[in-house]
């Protein structure tokens, strides 16, 4: 008499490699979204009430549960094109599944500068407007012309103008919708013909001077060098890049802090407020290298949390709470996580 066959695990699809932090998690199914037919299939599942999750490259998403009884759709719709030039801007369009850094590199090498400060930010084009990504003095909103979305409920395409996206610091209207309401299928960019380098943040200016020539390519290369020196490779050490938003405080608050901490890293904002460097605050609180279980603050850059291997969701939550509590106790500033904790 043959032995009974055990039933397969209903949550057998691993998500560990679907997010760069690398915590173990599983789901019911994993499907690619790569064409119009996939949009319709996603829509049918959504209308049927099936639990779904749309995922880009997982660089800004962290799975903090062991299992998810849902189908994960991975955005894999690629393609990019130059739409023309009106004398003031180069107009380009990139599909949501395009790799962000590959897009930046493509624009710079083709003579359409404007995105070079955003080089080497992990993730996909479709995720970039959700978070309104930014780095080294450039925010995505300053380069976006429109965002193309698929309206799941109405099963039709909709175009959001830049104004309708309601961009703010690491925020947009898309972060406040039901995540399955719209699927970002493409993003249009308007890149200035008259290029002006943004060198006011970090060590970018010094790195460019070392290269001898001020050019978009050398700015991009300099940004890549800086990021590579500070950020661990997620293939080696699980991470989601910058884990905490840089807090923005009133000018009076910043001045009071500068009286006590004259070397505090800070950046005046156009509206009169002041942006603080979350990494500096965490470092000054003595947390660089601090670990709870297998999750900790990166030893070379305090803004980053890392998975040393085998990290658990509860370790991550405990280190988040510890960092936020410690920084608030010392500086009176509350930090907020930047990635989406699912």
């Amino acid at each position: 008499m043959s032995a009974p066959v055990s039933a397969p695990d209903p949550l057998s699809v691993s998500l560990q490699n679907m997010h760069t932090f690398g915590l173990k998690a599983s789901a019911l199914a994993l499907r690619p979204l790569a064409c119009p037919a996939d949009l319709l299939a996603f829509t049918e599942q959504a209308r049927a009430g099936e639990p779904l999750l749309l995922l880009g490259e997982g660089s800004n998403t962290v799975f903090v549960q062991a299992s998810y009884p849902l189908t994960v759709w991975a955005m894999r719709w690629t393609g990019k094109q130059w739409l023309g030039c009106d004398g003031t801007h180069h107009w380009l369009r990139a599909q949501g599944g395009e790799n962000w850094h590959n897009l930046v590199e493509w624009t710079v090498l083709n003579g359409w500068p404007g995105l070079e400060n955003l080089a080497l930010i992990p993730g996909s084009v479709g995720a970039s407007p959700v978070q309104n990504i930014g780095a080294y003095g450039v925010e995505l909103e300053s380069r976006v012309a429109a965002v193309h979305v698929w309206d799941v409920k109405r099963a039709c395409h909709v175009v959001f103008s830049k104004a309708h996206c309601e961009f703010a610091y690491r925020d947009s209207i898309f972060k406040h919708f039901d995540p399955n309401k719209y699927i970002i299928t493409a993003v249009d960019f308007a890149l200035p013909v008259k290029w002006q380098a943004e060198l006011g943040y970090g060590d970018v200016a010094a790195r460019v001077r070392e290269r001898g020539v001020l050019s978009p390519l050398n700015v991009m290369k300099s940004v890549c060098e800086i990021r590579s020196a500070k950020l661990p490779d997620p293939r080696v050490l699980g991470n989601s890049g910058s884990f905490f938003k840089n807090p923005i405080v009133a000018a009076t608050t910043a001045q009071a802090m500068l009286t006590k901490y004259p070397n505090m890293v800070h950046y005046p904002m156009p509206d009169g407020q002041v942006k603080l460097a979350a990494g500096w605050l965490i470092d000054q609180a003595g947390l660089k290298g601090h670990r709870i279980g297998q999750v900790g603050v990166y030893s070379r850059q305090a803004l980053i949390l890392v998975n040393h291997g085998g990290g658990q969701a509860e370790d991550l939550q405990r280190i988040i709470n510890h960092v936020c509590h410690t920084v608030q106790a010392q500086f009176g500033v509350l930090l907020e996580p930047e990635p989406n904790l699912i």
Side-chain angles (χ1 to χ4, degrees), residues 90-113:
H90 293 287
W91 299 86
L92 304 98
R93 178 172 299 162
Q95 299 302 130
E98 278 290 324
N99 174 269
W100 175 258
H101 176 70
N102 289 349
L103 172 70
V104 173
E105 192 173 46
W106 178 72
T107 59
V108 172
L109 294 179
N110 277 284
W112 312 316

Side-chain angles (χ1 to χ4, degrees), residues 317-334:
Q317 194 58 61
R318 287 171 62 199
I319 198 80
I320 292 172
N321 293 340
H322 182 66
V323 168
C324 291
H325 175 78
T326 304
V327 168
Q328 187 173 29
Q330 180 167 338
F331 297 101
V333 175
L334 179 62

Side-chain angles (χ1 to χ4, degrees), residues 125-328:
V125 168
S128 64
V130 178
Q131 190 76 0
N132 186 22
I133 60 173
Y136 299 104
V138 176
E139 303 292 314
L140 182 79
E141 63 180 293
S142 66
R143 304 294 187 249
V144 167
V147 177
H148 298 255
V149 307
W150 172 259
D151 187 318
V152 175
K153 185 176 181 179
R154 295 190 293 162
C156 66
H157 292 281
V158 179
V159 179
F160 278 72
S161 69
K162 176 180 175 178
H164 288 152
C165 292
E166 298 182 11
F167 288 122
Y169 177 63
R170 299 297 173 270
D171 196 18
S172 72
I173 195 171
F174 303 109
K175 288 190 75 171
H176 304 283
F177 285 131
D178 179 322
N180 292 333
K181 179 179 176 64
Y182 293 119
I183 296 174
I184 296 177
T185 56
V187 180
D188 288 350
F189 299 91
L191 305 184
V193 172
K194 293 183 178 180
W195 177 70
Q196 184 173 356
E198 175 56 68
L199 304 174
Y201 274 65
D203 302 325
V204 179
R207 294 270 184 164
V208 173
R209 282 196 297 270
E210 290 175 1
R211 293 182 175 275
V213 177
L214 177 59
S215 68
L217 180 60
N218 280 342
V219 172
M220 182 182 75
K221 288 181 177 179
S222 298
V223 168
C224 288
E225 285 182 353
I226 294 169
R227 293 185 68 91
S228 296
K230 292 182 176 180
L231 305 177
D233 186 339
R235 294 171 296 183
V236 178
L237 197 60
N239 73 92
S240 296
S242 300
F243 203 92
F244 296 96
K245 298 179 184 179
N246 289 324
I248 297 175
V249 300
T252 52
T253 300
Q255 189 56 51
M257 295 175 70
L258 283 166
T259 301
K260 188 174 183 180
Y261 305 98
N263 296 323
M264 182 179 70
V265 179
H266 64 288
Y267 306 98
M269 303 291 287
D271 62 1
Q273 298 188 95
V274 178
K275 182 190 295 183
L276 308 181
W280 186 90
L281 298 173
I282 298 168
D283 192 2
Q284 293 300 305
L287 294 172
K288 185 182 285 186
H290 183 77
R291 290 172 62 162
I292 295 180
Q294 290 299 101
V295 177
V297 180
Y298 188 40
S299 60
R300 294 172 61 182
Q301 169 53 268
L303 189 57
I304 300 169
L305 299 186
V306 295
N307 178 2
H308 291 281
Q312 304 294 318
E314 53 267 30
D315 297 335
L316 175 61
Q317 194 58 61
R318 287 171 62 199
I319 198 80
I320 292 172
N321 293 340
H322 182 66
V323 168
C324 291
H325 175 78
T326 304
V327 168
Q328 187 173 29

Side-chain angles (χ1 to χ4, degrees), residues 1 18 54 99 177 192 250 262:
M1 185 175 181
M18 297 300 295
L54 182 65
N99 174 269
F177 285 131

